[in-house]
Amino acid sequence: MKSWYSNTAPKLETKSSKSLIHSFIVKEHEGLTINPYQGCQHRCGYCYATYEWSPDFYDKIYAKSNAPEILERQLKSSKFKCMKPVMISSATDPYQPAEIRYGLTRRCIQVLQKYKASYYVFTKSTNILRDLDLHKRYRDNCFLVWSITTCDEKIRRLIEPGTPPADAIFSVIRKFVDAGVCCAVNIDPILPLITDSEVHLDEILDACSDNGVGYVFGAVLRLRADIWERMKTVLISLDIREGIPQYQKTIFQFLEPIRSGVNIGSSKSYENRILGKLRDRVKSKNIIPDFPAFLWNTPAMPDQNANTINQGNQITLMKYV
Ligand code: SF4
């Protein structure tokens, strides 16, 4: 198989960053995000964060060693007077193995809590269990999301070899649910012809239901030139050879080569069918098919010395799906 990552363990390096918290806009939604690391050891073939500026994305992980200090400096500045919830992270997994060595995500979260910022974490990792107490004491203002694409171990090992198995993730989710933390599963991306069957999605939804997950949402894969090259490798490795023309002609409807920088979504009919079914199945299990909305009132850990940036505003967690 033509692999998208090297056969050796990724190299870890540190670097300094000038800025950590950034705003972003996805469709009509605005938000803030921090990325304490660059690169990701989870090595997912469908990853959207693998831009050309980071050719070693899967093999060289940079830890932004001054991330907590930079974050605090930015939060103290007047720029972020009215703060939206902070996404941790948009372009890397904040609890990938490097976090065990560097602890930057933990320290950044401590800074966010000090400044009474709400946050939501996107991860595929079980390492987040180390921070159970940290998130638990801030449970009124944080939201944890695990991205799970499959319960099928053969497929997982191929498409995202650095992630833990789904059953290990669900046992961690259970602990957060029992601690009263707001937890979600993001089935993203749903891979056409690979993980989009009802059986496949139901397996994830059953585990969500069994483990008390309150929110489930998902999205269909989007293609870009580099993602398409990796997906062809996956389809061939799984012996779904007819998948290549089906992706080209029916599901994504594109001509090769895909131009650099172009993103291609699946056809509306495919997307509506899959996401409609997912939404119906989620609701049938009494799970909410969306992000939660909750009030920002009294922070769980008020710090009287902190520079209050939210000033008691009501904040609704941003939709990012
Ligand atoms: S966990 Fe996220 S950032 Fe990391 S490789 Fe997978 S998709 Fe990319």
Side-chain angles (χ1 to χ4, degrees), residues 129 132 146 168-181 183 207-213:
L129 191 56
L132 176 65
W146 281 264
I169 297 177
F170 277 112
S171 70
V172 166
I173 294 177
R174 180 84 246 179
K175 292 188 171 70
F176 280 93
V177 167
D178 289 345
V181 182
C183 295
C208 289
S209 184
D210 293 346
N211 289 288
V213 175

Side-chain angles (χ1 to χ4, degrees), residues 79-100:
K79 202 174 155 199
F80 295 103
K81 278 269 186 309
C82 180
M83 201 155 155
K84 294 188 169 17
V86 180
M87 179 185 194
I88 316 165
S89 297
S90 58
T92 185
D93 192 312
Y95 282 102
Q96 62 176 297
E99 170 62 11
I100 296 303

Side-chain angles (χ1 to χ4, degrees), residues 39-44 46-50 57-58 90-93 124 160 163:
C40 187
Q41 195 169 340
H42 287 159
R43 296 175 155 175
C44 310
Y46 49 75
C47 182
Y48 304 129
T50 55
F57 184 84
Y58 298 116
S90 58
T92 185
D93 192 312
K124 294 174 190 289
E160 43 184 48
T163 61

Side-chain angles (χ1 to χ4, degrees), residues 21 31 47 49 54 141 179 198 204 234-235 257 272:
I21 190 162
C47 182
S54 188
N141 292 314
E198 264 181 48
I204 300 175
V234 169
L235 289 164
N272 290 343

